[in-house]
């Protein structure tokens, strides 16, 4: 109280002194009261500012009130509570000593004077009945914040919440089998080796195309089969890598066609062998459609059916590149070629029918005379093929992953081409390379007796000039008589 009286007296004294100094500097003390008036004194009091005895500055505001200044006190948490001054506040100055503040439970953290804390990342607010109060709940892993953080919304297909911004989504990188992956490197390496071997075998076939060994095995059909083998190896490179519209169309056309190019001529081959030896038991007349031209026409027609079906489907319902997210709550997306199921199934059934027919004729011709055993190797080829398809078809349709299906298709293409090369071509080339003298003598027409004497040394003897020149009337009797040697075994 005493401090306030002293401060008020000082304020009036300073104001009066300032008036006399400004308005009446030479007035006598006896007449100073005439110079000081109430309104004038009030105006000067508004502008008074001085330091009090307590050390604080006294200042009046525009309303004539002393500008406030407060000392801040806190009650200690001791057994006997007491008041502690922890700071002070004024309009121009604020100071507080945090070390002196006795927070609850003697905690050093400043408590927050809020109803609810802001929600954490990827959490949405659930507003309660109380204003400005809420609870926080996490969103699902595939959801982002919406409606100003009060709701969660699922991201669109093939998208995932942004890890840096929980209010937006971004596309999930699609997975496909890259060329650098181990499974792709392994299968492509086998394909390169198989393609190179097939090219060498094709060159040797062309080089020795006039030998009786090659001519007797339907060389024209062998060329077609070899082309199917090469396409099968090449399809592996198209199946791997990022799918595109062009690659999808190439796979849709190339892979089923590669199988047909192999199975179609094989069917014509086995059917021709069966008919020749079957007719040999009944008559000496030549069976129809056994000439090379006829065989080519039939094989082309069989291949043409598959080609026409694939081309028609490509134009009517072209394959497209699609993305699939198997599990919506997992950030995993696969990209693949979506082929019309009916077309793929029809191509698959068509090639299976061809393979089964080849197997049927291979079984019928399994007991041909010893001087003609190519059917045994054809049988080995088709038996392996049928077993492969029996394992492939259920596995392909049971698999739910598009990338696994791509791997299965590549494996089937590689196995089919490799089995065909090993069964039908490799052995013949081996005979050509190890019995070049016999083959050249037979092919020249000048050493037929020598070839006949050495025929027992050939590891894999095939039908000789009888079947190769079946269109020749002079050799027709020889072919039929050869076929009739062991007619009981057929």
């Amino acid at each position: 109280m005493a401090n306030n009286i002293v401060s008020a007296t000082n304020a009036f004294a300073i104001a009066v002194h300032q008036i006399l100094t400004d308005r009446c500097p030479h007035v006598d003390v006896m007449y100073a009261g005439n110079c000081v008036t109430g309104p004038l004194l009030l105006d000067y009091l508004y502008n008074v500012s001085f330091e009090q005895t307590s050390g604080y500055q006294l200042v009046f505001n525009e309303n004539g009130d002393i500008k406030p200044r407060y000392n801040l006190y806190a009650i200690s948490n001791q057994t006997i509570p007491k008041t502690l001054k922890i700071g002070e506040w004024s309009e121009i100055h604020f100071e507080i000593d945090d070390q002196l503040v006795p927070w609850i439970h003697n905690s050093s953290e400043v408590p927050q004077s809020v109803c609810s804390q802001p929600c954490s990342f990827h959490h949405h607010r659930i507003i309660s009945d109380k204003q400005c109060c809420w609870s926080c709940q996490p969103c699902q892993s595939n959801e982002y914040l919406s409606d100003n953080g009060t709701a969660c919304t699922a991201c669109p297909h093939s998208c995932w919440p942004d890890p840096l911004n929980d209010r937006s989504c971004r596309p999930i990188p699609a997975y496909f089998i890259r060329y650098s992956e181990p499974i792709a490197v392994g299968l492509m390496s086998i394909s390169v080796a198989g393609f190179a071997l097939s090219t060498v075998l094709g060159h040797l076939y062309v080089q020795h195309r006039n030998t009786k060994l090659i001519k007797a095995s339907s060389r024209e059909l062998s060329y077609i089969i070899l082309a199917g083998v090469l396409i099968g190896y090449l399809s592996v490179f198209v199946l791997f890598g990022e799918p595109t519209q062009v690659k999808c169309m190439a796979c849709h056309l190339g892979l089923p066609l590669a199988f047909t190019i192999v199975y179609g001529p094989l069917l014509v081959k086995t059917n021709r062998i069966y008919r020749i030896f079957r007719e040999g038991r009944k008559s000496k007349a030549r069976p129809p459609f056994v000439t090379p031209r006829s065989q080519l026409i039939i094989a082309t027609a069989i291949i043409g059916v598959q080609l026409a079906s694939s081309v028609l489907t490509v134009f009517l319902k072209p394959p497209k590149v699609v993305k699939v997210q198997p599990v919506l709550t997992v950030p995993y997306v696969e990209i693949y070629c979506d082929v019309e199921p009916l077309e793929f199934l029809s191509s698959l059934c068509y090639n299976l029918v061809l393979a089964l027919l080849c197997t049927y004729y291979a079984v019928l011709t399994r007991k041909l005379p010893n001087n003609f055993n190519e059917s045994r190797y054809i049988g080995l080829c088709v038996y392996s093929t049928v077993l492969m398809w029996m394992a492939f078809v259920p596995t392909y349709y049971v698999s739910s992953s598009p990338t696994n299906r791509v791997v299965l298709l590549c494996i089937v293409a590689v196995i089919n081409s490799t089995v065909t090369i090993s069964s039908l071509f490799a052995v013949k080339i081996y005979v050509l390379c190890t019995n070049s003298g016999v083959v050249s003598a037979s092919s020249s027409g000048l050493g037929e007796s020598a070839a006949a004497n050495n025929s027992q040394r050939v590891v894999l003897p095939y039908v000789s000039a009888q079947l190769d020149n079946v269109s020749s009337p002079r050799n027709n009797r020889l072919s039929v008589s050869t076929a009739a040697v062991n007619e009981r075994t057929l």
Side-chain angles (χ1 to χ4, degrees), residues 8 25 65 410:
D65 299 324
C410 293

Side-chain angles (χ1 to χ4, degrees), residues 348-361:
L348 180 64
C349 292
Y350 184 71
N351 285 296
L352 276 176
V353 169
L354 294 179
L356 291 174
L357 288 175
C358 289
T359 306
Y360 172 73
Y361 284 115

Side-chain angles (χ1 to χ4, degrees), residues 392-401 405:
F392 164 74
V393 173
T395 306
Y396 182 86
Y397 281 101
V398 168
S399 177
S400 59
S401 173
R405 292 184 175 184

Side-chain angles (χ1 to χ4, degrees), residues 77-232:
N77 294 328
Q78 299 174 358
T79 306
I80 302 177
K82 63 179 181 179
T83 303
L84 298 177
K85 181 181 179 181
I86 60 174
E88 57 187 38
W89 178 91
S90 67
E91 289 186 359
I92 60 175
H93 176 72
F94 172 71
E95 180 182 0
I96 188 170
D97 189 350
D98 292 336
Q99 302 297 326
L100 299 177
V101 178
W103 301 118
I104 188 171
H105 303 306
N106 293 321
S107 174
S108 59
E109 295 183 1
V110 179
Q112 299 293 323
S113 181
V114 293
C115 180
S116 301
Q117 295 289 345
C119 292
S120 303
F121 188 83
H122 204 242
H123 286 62
H124 71 284
R125 299 193 307 271
I126 300 178
I127 307 297
S128 64
D129 296 336
K130 298 180 180 180
Q131 188 177 8
C132 299
C133 295
W134 58 83
S135 60
C136 299
Q137 291 292 332
C139 294
Q140 295 293 329
S141 57
N142 63 324
E143 294 177 337
Y144 67 97
L145 294 181
S146 60
D147 296 336
N148 196 27
T150 59
C152 297
T153 304
C155 288
H157 184 269
S158 302
C159 293
W160 199 254
D162 193 329
L164 302 179
N165 183 8
D166 57 1
R167 297 177 184 267
S168 63
C169 298
R170 67 179 184 179
I172 302 173
Y175 172 74
F176 56 89
I177 301 179
R178 291 169 171 79
Y179 292 112
S180 58
E181 294 190 26
I183 184 66
V185 172
L187 288 175
M188 287 190 299
S189 300
I190 297 174
S191 297
V192 170
F195 189 88
L197 178 61
S198 302
T199 304
V200 173
L201 294 179
H203 172 72
L204 293 175
Y205 248 66
V206 174
Q207 184 179 359
H208 297 280
R209 62 186 179 278
N210 292 323
T211 61
K212 291 187 177 182
L213 180 62
I214 300 301
K215 293 168 69 177
S217 61
S218 301
R219 62 184 177 187
E220 292 80 8
L221 297 180
S222 298
Y223 294 154
I224 298 177
I225 294 174
L226 196 60
V229 169
L230 294 175
I231 296 175

Side-chain angles (χ1 to χ4, degrees), residues 308-371:
S309 174
S310 298
V311 171
L312 184 64
T313 308
V314 164
F315 281 101
L316 294 179
K317 292 184 178 180
K320 53 186 178 181
V321 180
V322 298
K323 294 181 179 180
V324 60
Q325 187 175 2
V327 182
L328 294 180
T329 56
V330 176
Y332 176 76
V333 172
E334 292 182 341
I335 183 172
Y336 69 101
C337 295
D338 185 24
V339 181
E340 184 67 23
L342 182 60
E343 167 58 20
F344 182 79
L345 185 61
S346 63
S347 298
L348 180 64
C349 292
Y350 184 71
N351 285 296
L352 276 176
V353 169
L354 294 179
L356 291 174
L357 288 175
C358 289
T359 306
Y360 172 73
Y361 284 115
V363 171
L364 292 180
T365 57
R366 69 188 184 280
K367 293 183 179 180
L368 287 179
N370 293 332
N371 65 333

